[in-house]
Amino acid sequence: MVEVPSRGATIAAWREQGGGIAAVFPIHHPRALWRAYGLLPVEVWGPPVTDTSRGDARLQAYTCSVVRCGLAFLESGGLEDVDLVVVPHACDSLQGLGSLLLDFAPPRQPVITPYIPRTRDAAAAEFLAHELRSVGLRLAEITGHQPDAAAVMACNQAEAQADRQRLALFEARRHLPLTNLEFYRLVRAREYLPAQDFAALAQAALAERIDEALPGPGVMLSGLLPEPMALLGVLDRAGAVVVADDYACSGRRHYRAGSSDEPWLNMAQSLLAGPPDPTLGHPIAQRVDHLVQACQSAGVDAVIFHGVKFCEPERFDLPMVQAGLQARLGLPCVDLEVDLASPLGHQAVTRIEALVEGLS
Amino acid sequence: MSLLASARYHLNVDLIGNGFLRYERRKLERKLANPRPHPHLGPPLVTAAELKELISRHYLKGRYASGHKPVAWVTSGAPVEFLQALGFFLLYPENHGAVCGIRRKAEEYCSAAEDLGYSRDICSYARTDIGSVMTGKTPVGTLPRPDLLVCCTNICQTVLYWYRVLAEHFGCPLVIIDTPFVYDSASDHSVAYVLRQIEQAVEVAERVAGRSLEPDKLRQVTQLSRDAVDLWMQVLERCRHRPAPMTAFDAFIQLAPIVEMRGEDFAVGYYQRLLAALDQRIADGVWALKDERLRLVWDNLPIWHRMRWLGERFAERGVALVASTYTNAWGELAPLIDPAHPLESGARTYLHAILNRSTGHKLNVIKGLVSDYQADGVVLHSDRSCKPYSVGQIDQRGRLVGAEGVPALLLEADHNDPRSFSEEQVAARLDAFLEILES
C-alpha cells in the first residue's frame, strides 16, 4: 500500500526547498497560479472538530462550520506559519470570511480573495483570466517571483496531470485494495501535495490495482467534504465501497485541461471546466444528469447526501437532485447533516448501517 | 402574445380593476383624513392610500399579465431597465415574500417548502417563494408564470441557488448576471464582465419578448429610474429633520415602488407626492412620533412579520428609527446612473449594491447614517436568513461601540420566518438597550 505523506511533513519539505505556503480556503482555486509564484497551496477545509469559540466570537451560530472552524483555526494560530491566506469567493459565508479578514480581523499574512465566476461562457473565461492575472501581479509583489508564460503553462500542465490522476483513482476505485478511509486519505492528499508528488503517488496506487472488484454495495457520497472521516470507517465496517464521489473537495474538482495557448486563459478555462457544482451556478438538471451518469458507470447502489449544516448551496439542490436520482435510477438516498465542530453522531452511524444492511 | 389575453387584461385591469382600486383608495383616504389617534405615533402619511393602490394595481396587472405581456421574475437588485423598456411585466419574488411576511402567510408557505425537502436553514424569502410557487397560494391573488428569470447575484449568492430551483420548476430561461464581489474597489475587468452579461441578457430578453430593444426607450426608462432613485434619497433625507416626519418603518413600506416599479413614470410621480407630503409635515410640525426622544439607525432587512409590534414598541419609548442601511441602499447609487449610457452605467451601478460590498464598507455606511441623521445608537438585525448582510455584524457592532462610542445592539431574528423570532427575548434585549440609551 502506498504511503501518503502527512500535511506537516509536506509543508516542512517544501519549506526546506525554500518555497512559501499559501493557506487556501474552499472551494475552487487555481492551484497552478500559486505554484507559478513558488507557493504550495495547502487547503483549509475546516479543520473538523476544532474548538470554534474563536470563530464564534466573530461569526453568528448560523454560519456554516467550515467557515467557523476555519476562522477559529486561523485565530488560534493554526496558520501562523503560512505566507499567504487565500479565500476564494465561493458562497455568502466564505465571502463574509474573506471580507472579515480584510477589514476587521487581518492575519499577519496578506489575504487574497479571487472571484470565481458563476457563468461559464467566453465572457466568464475572459474575466477570470483577467482576475488571475491581477492576482498574479499581487503575488509578484508578495513573493518576488516573476514567472514567464512558459513557466505558468508548465504549472497548468502539472496540475492538469494531477487532476487526471485523481480522476483515474476514482475510476479504478473498485479495483484498488484500499479501505474507504485509506482511499480518501490518498485522494485528499491532493489538497496539500505538490501536483507532481500527487501524480506520482496516484500512479503508484494505480499500479497496485487488482483484477477482481472489491465486494460490497457501491455508494456515492455527495456534499462538501468527507468529514468527520469517521463516516468512512462506518462504511468500511458495514462492508460498503464508496465508488462515486460528488464532494466539493474532490469529485467536483475534476477539472479538464484548458485549451488556450495563452497561459492565463488556459488556467481560467480549466477552472471553469469542472463537473456541475451548485456554487458555480450549473443548472440542477445538468447536475442530475451528471450524477445519474456517474452512478450508472460506477455501479452505485445508494447515495448518501452528506451536508454541512447551514450550507445553502447544498441544501437548495437537495430535493430536486434526490428526486431526480430516485426517479431515474430508483436509488435509495440518505440525507445526513453534520457540523464539522462535532463528532459524527450515533444517529448518523445507525442510519448509514441501516442503509447498507438494506442493500446487502 | 394573444388577443384574448390582452382583452382580458384590459377588461380586468384597465376597466374593472382600476375603478375598484380608485374607489378603495378614496375610501381609505377618507379614513386617513380622520385617523384614530394613537397614543405615541403621529398621523399616517397622507400618501398611504395611493401607495396601497399602486401596490395592489401592480399585483393586479401581474394577475392578468400572462399572454398579454412577457413576464420576468427578477431579483430585487437586478438591472431591470432593459426589461422595462422591452415591455416586460416584472415580478420580484423577494417583494412578494415580504408581502407574505407582512400578511402573516410566510410561515405557512415556508412550512410547505420544508415539507418538500427544503431545509429550514435556507433563506426564508426563498422558502416563502418556493412554498407559494409549489402550492399556488399567495395573498395577492395569482402570480403570473414567468417567461424569463433574471438573477443578479449582487444581493447574495442565495438567489443563484433559489433561481436555479425556479428555472427547473418553470422550465423557462434563466439569465444569471454575476457581479463579482467588491472587497475594496471594483476592477475594470469586473465592470466589463457585468456589462457583457447585461448585453447578453438583453439578447435573451429580446428573444423572449419577440422585439428589439429601442435605445431611446431604454434611455427614457433609465432616466425615470434615476429620477425615482434621486427622489427616494430625498425622501429618506427628510428624516434628518429633528424630529423626523417619518420613520424607517414607514420607509420599509414606502420602498415598494422603488424596488418593483423602478423605471415607471408613476413611481416618479408617487415619490414626488410623498416628498411634498413630508415637506408639508415638516412645515406643519407633524412628526412620526408624538414625542421623539431618541433616534436610532437600523441595519439589515426589516422583520416583516413584526413591523407593527416593533414600531409600537419603539414609539412608546419615544424612539424613532430615522434611517436604515436597507432603505438607504436603494438611493445611494443614484449618482452612478447615467441615462445617456444606460448599460455601461448600469454595470457599474449594480455592481456597487451594498450587499455586494465589503463588511468595512457597510460599517462606513452605518457610521455615515449615524452622523448624518444625528442618531443616538444602532440596532443591527442579525438576520438568520441573510448571511451576506449579517456576517460581519459582530465586528461592526464592536467597532461602533468601541472606536466610535456609538451604542449598538445586535438583535437575533429572521426577516420572514416568525418561528425564528422570540418576542420575549427581543423585548428584553430592546428594553435593556433602550434603558442604557435613556440613562
Side-chain angles (χ1 to χ4, degrees):
Chain A
M1 195 181 77
V2 295
E3 194 175 328
V4 180
S6 74
R7 203 172 270 254
T10 305
I11 291 171
W14 187 260
R15 282 256 184 247
E16 261 180 40
Q17 294 169 34
I21 303 293
V24 186
F25 282 79
I27 299 174
H28 302 278
H29 65 99
R31 297 186 69 89
L33 176 61
W34 323 120
R35 287 297 308 279
Y37 287 84
L39 296 162
L40 175 67
V42 175
E43 297 179 2
V44 185
W45 289 80
V49 200
T50 302
D51 171 9
T52 59
S53 50
R54 302 287 291 264
D56 297 343
R58 293 186 185 275
L59 295 167
Q60 286 95 334
Y62 49 79
T63 315
C64 93
S65 50
V66 171
V67 173
R68 280 188 296 118
C69 288
L71 180 59
F73 186 61
L74 187 151
E75 294 253 300
S76 56
L79 300 179
E80 199 48 42
D81 293 337
V82 308
D83 303 285
L84 175 70
V85 175
V86 180
V87 189
H89 192 287
C91 63
D92 290 324
S93 298
L94 281 159
Q95 164 190 298
L97 175 65
S99 196
L100 272 178
L101 295 182
L102 288 168
D103 295 335
F104 296 126
R108 129 188 117 66
Q109 308 88 342
V111 176
I112 290 185
T113 52
Y115 190 85
I116 313 297
R118 269 53 170 180
T119 57
R120 270 160 309 286
D121 57 8
E126 197 181 320
F127 162 79
L128 185 54
H130 274 291
E131 180 79 351
L132 298 175
R133 263 188 225 111
S134 67
V135 172
L137 292 175
R138 182 87 201 285
L139 292 177
E141 287 168 16
I142 294 167
T143 65
H145 281 61
Q146 298 279 3
D148 59 18
V152 176
M153 196 56 125
C155 291
N156 289 349
Q157 286 160 352
E159 296 299 335
Q161 172 63 12
D163 282 340
R164 276 194 294 273
Q165 291 291 66
R166 181 171 56 183
L167 182 59
L169 286 173
F170 277 101
E171 285 169 350
R173 171 66 189 112
R174 271 282 189 195
H175 298 274
L176 296 179
L178 299 168
T179 65
N180 293 311
L181 201 54
E182 290 163 345
F183 178 76
Y184 270 95
R185 284 204 179 114
L186 171 66
V187 294
R188 292 195 67 193
R190 179 85 178 98
E191 293 169 21
Y192 58 87
L193 277 183
Q196 294 82 346
D197 294 4
F198 179 81
L201 186 71
Q203 193 57 49
L206 288 165
E208 294 181 5
R209 181 191 162 105
I210 53 174
D211 288 338
E212 67 273 31
L214 296 179
V219 168
M220 171 187 265
L221 295 175
S222 173
L224 283 182
L225 71 164
E227 296 284 1
M229 283 184 90
L231 169 89
L232 300 166
V234 174
L235 286 167
D236 281 327
R237 286 192 294 281
V241 185
V242 181
V243 292
D245 172 292
D246 177 46
Y247 276 127
C249 76
S250 41
R252 292 181 204 159
R253 298 200 297 174
H254 295 314
Y255 308 110
R256 291 193 305 277
S259 57
S260 173
D261 294 334
E262 200 285 310
W264 299 101
L265 186 57
N266 181 289
M267 197 187 290
Q269 287 170 334
S270 175
L271 207 48
L272 294 175
D277 180 327
T279 65
L280 294 180
H282 292 87
I284 296 175
Q286 202 176 328
R287 253 198 97 193
V288 173
D289 288 345
H290 169 76
L291 295 179
V292 164
Q293 199 183 6
C295 287
Q296 283 173 328
S297 60
V300 167
D301 300 299
V303 181
I304 298 175
F305 292 98
H306 173 213
V308 172
K309 190 160 173 63
F310 300 117
C311 176
E312 279 203 332
E314 297 295 323
R315 306 311 295 179
F316 263 98
D317 276 21
L318 191 60
M320 285 182 169
V321 168
Q322 206 164 339
L325 287 176
Q326 280 170 345
R328 288 167 65 178
L329 299 175
L331 289 177
C333 299
V334 165
D335 173 20
L336 300 177
E337 200 175 50
V338 298
D339 187 306
L340 291 194
S342 310
L344 190 68
H346 286 298
Q347 204 183 21
V349 172
T350 309
R351 291 185 65 200
I352 297 166
E353 287 170 345
L355 173 77
V356 178
E357 268 173 35
L359 299 171
S360 305
Chain B
M1 300 295 109
S2 94
L3 276 176
L4 186 65
S6 293
R8 199 181 54 189
Y9 179 91
H10 289 303
L11 176 71
N12 287 294
V13 177
D14 297 336
L15 292 173
I16 302 171
N18 276 346
F20 176 73
L21 291 175
R22 261 197 302 275
Y23 165 75
E24 287 286 302
R25 173 179 163 179
R26 285 204 197 98
K27 213 165 75 174
L28 185 57
E29 277 170 347
R30 278 198 295 276
K31 195 172 158 191
L32 290 174
N34 294 298
R36 198 182 310 157
H38 188 281
H40 310 293
L41 292 168
L45 291 162
V46 293
T47 55
E50 185 183 350
L51 179 64
K52 192 176 174 201
E53 184 190 11
L54 272 184
I55 297 170
S56 302
R57 187 182 297 131
H58 177 74
Y59 283 107
L60 180 67
K61 284 177 179 172
R63 189 172 183 161
Y64 296 100
S66 291
H68 171 62
K69 281 172 160 235
V71 175
W73 287 24
V74 296
T75 55
S76 61
V80 291
E81 288 74 12
F82 70 90
L83 294 167
Q84 291 277 17
L86 280 167
F88 275 84
F89 173 81
L90 303 180
L91 184 99
Y92 297 79
E94 295 139 73
N95 261 45
H96 173 250
V99 170
C100 297
I102 291 169
R103 301 217 193 153
R104 303 289 184 110
K105 291 284 181 192
E107 183 176 344
E108 181 190 341
Y109 304 159
C110 284
S111 298
E114 290 156 22
D115 289 346
L116 293 166
Y118 292 92
S119 167
R120 199 170 154 174
D121 292 333
I122 66 174
C123 164
S124 54
Y125 268 165
R127 276 179 291 135
T128 301
D129 182 52
I130 292 169
S132 167
V133 164
M134 303 295 183
T135 60
K137 292 181 179 175
T138 164
V140 299
T142 308
L143 297 181
R145 196 181 168 86
D147 302 302
L148 176 68
L149 294 162
V150 179
C151 167
C152 182
T153 60
N154 61 354
I155 48 171
C156 57
Q157 293 300 308
T158 300
V159 291
L160 179 68
Y161 321 134
W162 171 5
Y163 274 60
R164 288 163 63 248
V165 171
L166 294 179
E168 208 62 43
H169 177 76
F170 288 115
C172 66
L174 165 63
V175 168
I176 295 170
I177 299 175
D178 175 26
T179 49
F181 189 73
V182 181
Y183 289 97
D184 181 8
S185 58
S187 62
D188 288 344
H189 61 271
S190 292
V191 178
Y193 174 47
V194 176
L195 174 59
R196 184 72 197 105
Q197 291 176 86
I198 296 175
E199 287 166 349
Q200 288 169 340
V202 170
E203 289 167 20
V204 177
E206 284 177 328
R207 274 201 300 277
V208 171
R211 68 174 77 156
S212 297
L213 182 63
E214 294 168 26
D216 284 346
K217 179 72 179 163
L218 177 62
R219 277 192 285 273
Q220 186 192 338
V221 168
T222 307
Q223 183 65 57
L224 288 168
S225 211
R226 162 87 195 231
D227 292 346
V229 171
D230 268 336
L231 282 162
W232 174 246
M233 205 60 203
Q234 291 178 56
V235 163
L236 295 179
E237 284 170 358
R238 290 301 188 265
C239 293
R240 291 183 182 186
H241 194 280
R242 200 169 186 137
M246 71 169 192
T247 69
F249 290 108
D250 299 306
F252 291 143
I253 302 295
Q254 300 295 333
L255 195 58
I258 200 69
V259 181
E260 289 182 327
M261 302 158 209
R262 205 160 67 247
E264 301 269 18
D265 53 0
F266 47 82
V268 175
Y270 176 73
Y271 285 126
Q272 283 167 340
R273 287 184 286 282
L274 175 61
L275 191 62
L278 291 173
D279 285 339
Q280 192 60 52
R281 278 168 84 107
I282 292 170
D284 296 344
V286 177
W287 314 117
L289 267 58
K290 287 189 173 158
D291 179 21
E292 178 186 300
R293 297 191 296 277
L294 286 170
R295 295 161 68 85
L296 297 180
V297 168
W298 179 271
D299 178 51
N300 213 324
L301 276 80
I303 304 170
W304 294 112
H305 49 94
R306 286 297 194 286
M307 289 269 282
R308 191 185 179 91
W309 180 82
L310 273 170
E312 293 194 341
R313 193 149 195 108
F314 277 118
E316 71 190 32
R317 303 288 291 255
V319 178
L321 290 190
V322 289
S324 86
T325 53
Y326 184 63
T327 51
N328 187 68
W330 296 95
E332 65 181 346
L333 299 179
L336 292 177
I337 304 172
D338 178 3
H341 302 96
L343 296 185
E344 295 81 354
S345 69
R348 198 168 282 281
T349 306
Y350 288 101
L351 197 50
H352 283 88
I354 189 170
L355 285 178
N356 205 45
R357 302 196 65 182
S358 69
T359 49
H361 171 78
K362 193 150 75 62
L363 174 64
N364 288 335
V365 171
I366 297 173
K367 280 158 50 179
L369 292 176
V370 168
S371 157
D372 294 344
Y373 289 76
Q374 304 168 63
D376 303 293
V378 180
V379 176
L380 299 109
H381 167 205
S382 170
D383 185 350
R384 197 175 185 276
S385 270
C386 190
K387 290 186 183 73
Y389 225 136
S390 304
V391 171
Q393 281 179 320
I394 296 175
D395 276 285
Q396 286 157 357
R397 182 193 167 275
R399 293 288 171 101
L400 285 168
V401 173
E404 303 300 320
V406 176
L409 170 73
L410 199 65
L411 207 60
E412 292 274 350
D414 185 291
H415 62 253
N416 233 34
D417 191 342
R419 294 167 298 174
S420 299
F421 183 86
S422 163
E423 208 163 271
E424 292 77 16
Q425 218 171 63
V426 168
R429 284 183 64 77
L430 269 181
D431 288 346
F433 179 61
L434 296 178
E435 273 164 29
I436 293 168
L437 286 178
E438 285 160 352
S439 62

